[in-house]
Amino acid sequence: MKNSGAFCAFMQQYVEFLEQAAAGEDEKYASLLSYDAKRMDHAIASQQAVNMRLARMEAQREEEQRSAGVEGLTFAEILNEVQGEERELLTALFVRFRKAVDDIKYFNAKSIAFAREGLRITHANERGSNAYEASGRKSQTPYGTSMFEAEV
């Protein structure tokens, strides 16, 4: 592999960026759980910036691979092209890369599921509640009845 030093240095930066992005996804999920609108806005704005940078970094990765003579190869195929210390370094980077991507996917899926459930509940409340009053009749209010409204 030619220019392997430049490729390895770039992959180090890319992996560090992905690890930061994974931490950002974790923060985004935590902000959703907190119901803190300001915190959610900040996390979402940060995520938009990360997405733009990710597109640039991915384009640069493709260019670095082209320069290194391993264009279009998977990480496993790239490892077959290198030996010794370089192979060890890239193996460790590729493991970290995969973990960061898996973490991003995990927290993103959790955030989407949480948001969808919130929307489902909101829409259910808009259509009316399936709750019953103390008398056994179906509630006519959109949010059901409160235990403080029932006669004891």
Side-chain angles (χ1 to χ4, degrees):
M1 180 167 65
K2 35 185 193 174
N3 298 330
S4 62
F7 180 72
C8 290
F10 170 75
M11 286 307 298
Q12 178 70 36
Q13 292 173 350
Y14 196 10
V15 167
E16 289 171 2
F17 164 73
L18 287 173
E19 289 169 340
Q20 291 170 354
E25 282 293 332
D26 184 16
E27 172 55 30
K28 181 176 74 175
Y29 179 59
S31 73
L32 287 171
L33 295 177
S34 75
Y35 291 99
D36 180 346
K38 201 176 223 180
R39 185 175 173 191
M40 283 187 264
D41 284 344
H42 178 73
I44 291 169
S46 295
Q47 193 59 41
Q48 289 171 338
V50 165
N51 289 344
M52 288 187 292
R53 185 170 176 212
L54 178 60
R56 288 191 310 269
M57 300 243 3
E58 185 57 21
Q60 186 177 351
R61 181 195 58 78
E62 290 174 356
E63 180 55 38
E64 294 291 339
Q65 277 190 234
R66 191 174 5 269
S67 295
V70 290
E71 179 179 10
L73 297 183
T74 65
F75 289 159
E77 292 168 334
I78 292 171
L79 290 176
N80 289 332
E81 299 288 320
V82 295
Q83 302 296 320
E85 195 175 299
E86 193 172 71
R87 183 183 176 93
E88 288 177 28
L89 173 64
L90 286 174
T91 299
L93 286 172
F94 294 160
V95 167
R96 287 174 54 201
F97 186 98
R98 172 56 45 206
K99 182 181 181 330
V101 169
D102 288 346
D103 288 349
I104 289 168
K105 288 178 179 179
Y106 172 79
F107 286 115
N108 192 41
K110 298 282 280 180
S111 295
I112 289 170
F114 185 80
R116 281 189 178 144
E117 181 62 14
L119 288 172
R120 187 192 66 75
I121 290 168
T122 301
H123 290 300
N125 285 339
E126 289 172 356
R127 288 190 306 267
S129 172
N130 290 329
Y132 289 88
E133 296 175 343
S135 65
R137 289 179 288 150
K138 188 168 167 113
S139 172
Q140 298 303 308
T141 65
Y143 304 106
T145 61
S146 168
M147 67 177 200
F148 297 111
E149 295 173 2
E151 272 185 48
V152 180

